[in-house]
Amino acid sequence: MSAIVRLLTHKVSVPLKRPFITAVRRADAVELALVEAVDEDGRSGWGEAATSWKVTGESPESVAAAVVDPLGDAVLGHEPDDPALPGLIARAIWGNVAARSAVETAVLDLRAQAAGMSMVTLLKVMATDAATSPDEIALMSSVLTERKGSRNGQGNEHIAQMRPALGASSGEDSSTLRRSRRTRAVRTDMTLSAGDPEELARIAAGHVEDGFDHIKIKASRDHDAFAAVSAVRRAVGDEVVLRVDANQAWTPGEAIAFIQKSEDAGLGLEFVEQPVAFYDLAGMAKAKAASHTPIVADESVRVARDVRELAERGACDQINVKLAKTGGLCEALAVAGATRKAGMGILVGCMMEGPIGVSASAALAAVVSPDRVHDLDAALWLAETPVAGGARFVDEAVELDEGPGLGIRALREAA
């Protein structure tokens, strides 16, 4: 393969269609931090860093600084399939997980393009690729062979469902996959910001008309979450799946009170995500023990060892895996592997990201949990798209480009 000769950053400001409001922040626009890795043959691989001072502790400026010096030093001159690269990227700089994720994704995008395969296919064949590290081989072998059920709650009950580990058989070769540009898709929910119950109900009904049957409602201390969920349930009916994401908004007592009240009212929540502070594993375990509704850990999980600790404490039923938390696809695969071994469900989510970040996350979702309805709607919040190519939204489906790499063709010129 051709060596990587340039590592560039692009800052793109994109307005949102409507304000994005959670327990942590409000955003009316996003500053996308894009990373472009260029090889000797002129190919460009793309990655995206999800930046937020309150969530990742990073900004487009900090990403640019990390890419120019430590991450550039680690990557430049190496071929994209160099098995040492994931470790070099991880050790190049402390923290800066979003920046590291963007660089690693760009490198893997280049590797997939050079090999003529999609990102989904690359994530699978890494299991047997001679250039893959032993840790990656062990991880991906477990993903290929395990058929563990994930606990996926519906209504007030835990429902165990057997999920195939991959979207295609392990014998499916890359030439077969490449014959169709868009043969693979994963499903996503649609998120509602924290807000006025009746307004959320109106928006939710519109999303259902647009083809979404999973709605995720953000909760915050400034809004009545029970009233919001009740209004949405009345608006969309009993067939639509509702999820609640508190983003650490509550104390354990408040979380238990909300969940039990929702159960008593028959609101039928699929799960409640990160009800308490990320560090309060004992509080999350208490909320799990006091309710029937599954608990999803998000902010409490960054790397695989976090999953093991959560499992040991009995703190959650499912894990939300995000590239901006793990530092890249390699660690995200490790998190997914640890989650499966713990017998917990896997949900792939994203931050407020554009098509590049969502495309990478959707590729991960297609490998680790293809039949799950994930949380990958961020690009639908953007008023305009900054790139050509990548994943495409068709109702609730995120259709993956089966061309080489992520399928990103170009960065659009600013208007």
Side-chain angles (χ1 to χ4, degrees), residues 113-391:
Q113 290 181 51
M117 61 179 66
S118 71
M119 183 66 82
V120 171
T121 306
L122 173 60
L123 293 179
K124 293 180 180 181
V125 302
M126 280 169 62
T128 52
D129 188 337
T132 303
S133 70
D135 287 344
E136 287 174 336
I137 291 174
L139 166 67
M140 291 304 294
S141 294
S142 71
V143 173
L144 284 165
T145 57
E146 288 190 67
R147 292 293 188 270
K148 289 187 177 179
S150 62
R151 298 175 73 187
N152 180 16
Q154 178 67 36
N156 295 333
E157 299 177 351
H158 293 272
I159 301 175
Q161 298 180 356
M162 295 302 293
R163 300 293 194 189
L166 298 171
S169 69
S170 58
E172 186 175 28
D173 61 39
S174 59
S175 62
T176 300
L177 290 169
R178 289 198 300 272
R179 280 199 286 269
S180 174
R181 293 285 298 182
R182 295 184 184 276
T183 60
R184 190 183 310 280
V186 294
R187 298 166 66 202
T188 183
D189 60 16
M190 193 65 197
T191 303
L192 300 178
S193 291
D196 173 73
E198 297 310 316
E199 177 66 8
L200 295 184
R202 183 189 65 78
I203 296 172
H207 290 324
V208 172
E209 289 181 4
D210 290 337
F212 292 89
D213 60 14
H214 284 64
I215 302 293
K216 180 163 144 177
I217 304 161
K218 292 287 188 179
S220 79
R221 299 190 68 84
D222 297 329
H223 300 89
D224 186 336
F226 179 78
V229 176
S230 299
V232 170
R233 175 58 77 201
R234 289 193 298 271
V236 302
D238 293 334
E239 297 302 313
V240 174
V241 176
L242 297 186
R243 304 165 161 180
V244 171
D245 184 1
N247 289 114
Q248 313 177 74
W250 300 321
T251 66
E254 290 168 339
I256 292 169
F258 168 80
I259 295 170
Q260 292 183 343
K261 188 175 181 180
S262 297
E263 291 175 348
D264 292 343
L267 294 182
L269 300 182
E270 183 189 15
F271 59 68
V272 172
E273 185 173 344
Q274 198 63 47
V276 301
F278 74 92
Y279 55 80
D280 190 2
L281 303 190
M284 192 147 63
K286 185 181 296 184
K288 178 178 179 294
S291 64
H292 299 291
T293 303
I295 301 297
V296 176
D298 180 3
E299 287 90 341
S300 294
V301 179
R302 292 184 179 270
V303 294
R305 64 177 174 271
D306 296 332
V307 176
R308 292 189 285 271
E309 183 174 4
L310 283 160
E312 289 170 0
R313 292 180 175 233
C316 64
D317 302 279
Q318 304 173 30
I319 300 293
N320 189 336
V321 185
K322 293 180 180 176
L323 298 184
K325 296 185 303 175
T326 63
L329 285 159
C330 290
E331 185 61 33
L333 288 169
V335 169
T339 302
R340 285 189 180 279
K341 289 178 182 178
M344 296 190 290
I346 301 170
L347 177 74
V348 177
C350 60
M351 305 283 286
M352 187 51 67
E353 301 170 51
I356 296 174
V358 171
S359 294
S361 296
L364 174 69
V367 171
V368 301
S369 191
D371 294 335
R372 185 73 193 269
V373 177
H374 296 279
D375 184 28
L376 300 170
D377 61 319
L380 288 171
W381 286 73
L382 305 186
E384 57 194 44
T385 179
V387 299

Side-chain angles (χ1 to χ4, degrees), residues 4 7 37 70-79 85 88-89 103 107:
I4 301 167
L7 207 56
L71 291 170
D73 291 343
V75 167
L76 296 180
H78 291 268
E79 295 181 359
L85 269 179
L88 292 172
I89 293 170
V103 170
V107 168

Side-chain angles (χ1 to χ4, degrees), residues 60-72:
E61 291 74 22
S62 74
V63 169
V67 169
V68 168
D69 288 320
L71 291 170

